[in-house]
Amino acid sequence: LDWWPNALWMNTLIEPYDDARVRRAMSLVINRDLINEIVYEGAEVATIYPFPLYPGLQSFVDSPEVQALIEKYEPGKFDPEESAALMEEAGFALNGDGLWERDGETVNATIHAFEGIHSDTAPVLEEMLIQGGFDASINFGTDAYQQMADGAPGLYHFGHGASLVDPYAALELYHGRFSESIGTSAGNNRFSRYSNPEFDAILDEMAPLNSDDPRFHELAAQALEIYWAEQLDIPLIQWLHRIAYNQTYWTNWPTADNLGSGTNGAFWAHTGMLVVTNLEKAE
């Protein structure tokens, strides 16, 4: 399990992605159960979280406070009818092509992504969005990342490289200090450009606290509630690595059953030395 659970990000400073109803409507046409079934052959990797479910984070989401939020907001819900109602409330109507349109403009749901790693999920997401009335297509071009960084219209298939032990680092990706203005590039993993003083105040109070402090947990739940209530992006899947290991001479490789310090075998993620220094000589 990697620390890079993927979502569909969007620039919350531009229309129509600045409307939480539109963001929620897009999430409601994503069938995560079908993603599990079609793309991952039954493996339950679809997610509703912006962080990986490592032990400390699993404990957080299993808490009564977070479970109550899940029941309240249903962040993984698939409901095209509710999606349609939200789009109509936001002033859109279906045009002759079955796409949501307002003031002569459809919702640009171009999925900017990377063919080498997203060629399995992106086409499935594209079809779900089209069926939900969103003007979806896929951009696997060499400019895909630049489109994300520049805040171009559309959706950005990208991960949340942040939290390992507690949710703070993932939630901090949406802090207002990273809300770069239109015309400037957003930093890696901070594509939403979201800004909310209430959310920022929660994070600022969390920052100096230990993760085992009850107040930290309380604040983290408050921040996660805003993440779901405002649909800051559309969480999709936990990210997996399928890397084979040779146990002949060395053991203690990071696996699903041996999480160790939260590293994984993806040496390109600058964790190679952590993996190597934790290896043990075989008996």
Side-chain angles (χ1 to χ4, degrees):
L1 183 66
D2 196 70
W3 53 74
W4 204 59
N6 272 213
L8 290 176
W9 297 70
M10 64 212 77
N11 183 349
T12 62
L13 292 183
I14 61 174
E15 293 184 351
Y17 323 101
D18 59 343
D19 190 330
R21 293 171 297 184
V22 174
R23 301 195 296 265
R24 174 65 172 168
M26 286 192 281
S27 180
L28 284 166
V29 300
I30 302 300
N31 188 335
R32 292 168 178 80
D33 290 337
L34 200 57
I35 291 173
N36 281 334
E37 177 186 342
I38 293 177
V39 182
Y40 292 100
E41 299 181 350
E44 296 182 357
V45 301
T47 192
I48 56 176
Y49 308 107
F51 42 71
L53 294 181
Y54 289 153
L57 289 152
Q58 184 69 62
S59 297
F60 170 65
V61 304
D62 287 342
S63 68
E65 296 87 352
V66 175
Q67 289 302 305
L69 292 176
I70 293 173
E71 184 175 352
K72 178 179 180 179
Y73 292 102
E74 299 181 284
K77 187 178 184 180
F78 170 65
D79 191 333
E81 291 185 2
E82 184 177 335
S83 173
L86 285 171
M87 291 303 290
E88 290 172 354
E89 184 181 316
F92 287 83
L94 288 174
N95 64 17
D97 295 322
L99 298 175
W100 293 111
E101 185 176 304
R102 184 178 67 186
D103 299 329
E105 297 288 337
T106 58
V107 179
N108 185 337
T110 301
I111 300 172
H112 301 287
F114 310 106
E115 188 170 14
I117 57 175
H118 293 142
S119 58
D120 52 356
T121 51
V124 175
L125 295 167
E126 176 191 24
E127 184 60 28
M128 289 178 178
L129 287 163
I130 291 173
Q131 289 187 14
F134 298 95
D135 195 359
S137 60
I138 299 174
N139 173 26
F140 279 147
T142 56
D143 67 335
Y145 180 82
Q146 195 62 51
Q147 294 293 310
M148 302 179 196
D150 289 346
L155 307 174
Y156 319 145
H157 198 334
F158 205 81
H160 308 79
S163 291
L164 294 174
V165 177
D166 64 67
Y168 176 80
L171 295 169
E172 189 196 22
L173 297 174
Y174 309 96
H175 195 289
R177 66 174 172 272
F178 303 126
S179 181
E180 300 292 346
S181 60
I182 301 298
T184 61
S185 287
N188 193 15
N189 275 13
R190 301 185 180 110
F191 301 125
S192 74
R193 301 174 190 246
Y194 181 70
S195 182
N196 178 345
E198 179 188 359
F199 186 82
D200 294 350
I202 292 170
L203 291 176
D204 292 343
E205 186 178 346
M206 284 177 67
L209 301 177
N210 290 326
S211 60
D212 58 358
D213 187 318
R215 180 58 177 164
F216 180 96
H217 180 93
E218 179 184 349
L219 292 165
Q222 291 176 18
L224 187 60
E225 179 172 16
I226 292 174
Y227 172 78
W228 281 331
E230 291 282 298
Q231 195 75 59
L232 303 190
D233 58 26
I234 303 171
L236 298 172
I237 55 172
Q238 294 285 329
W239 196 254
L240 303 177
H241 290 295
R242 305 166 184 84
I243 300 172
Y245 303 117
N246 187 323
Q247 309 276 0
T248 304
Y249 301 107
W250 299 97
T251 61
N252 202 40
W253 298 93
T255 66
D257 298 322
N258 182 32
L259 296 173
S261 58
T263 61
N264 58 63
F267 295 102
W268 55 89
H270 308 293
T271 54
M273 188 57 69
L274 289 173
V275 173
V276 170
T277 54
N278 280 296
L279 293 179
E280 297 173 0
K281 191 172 182 179
E283 296 291 335

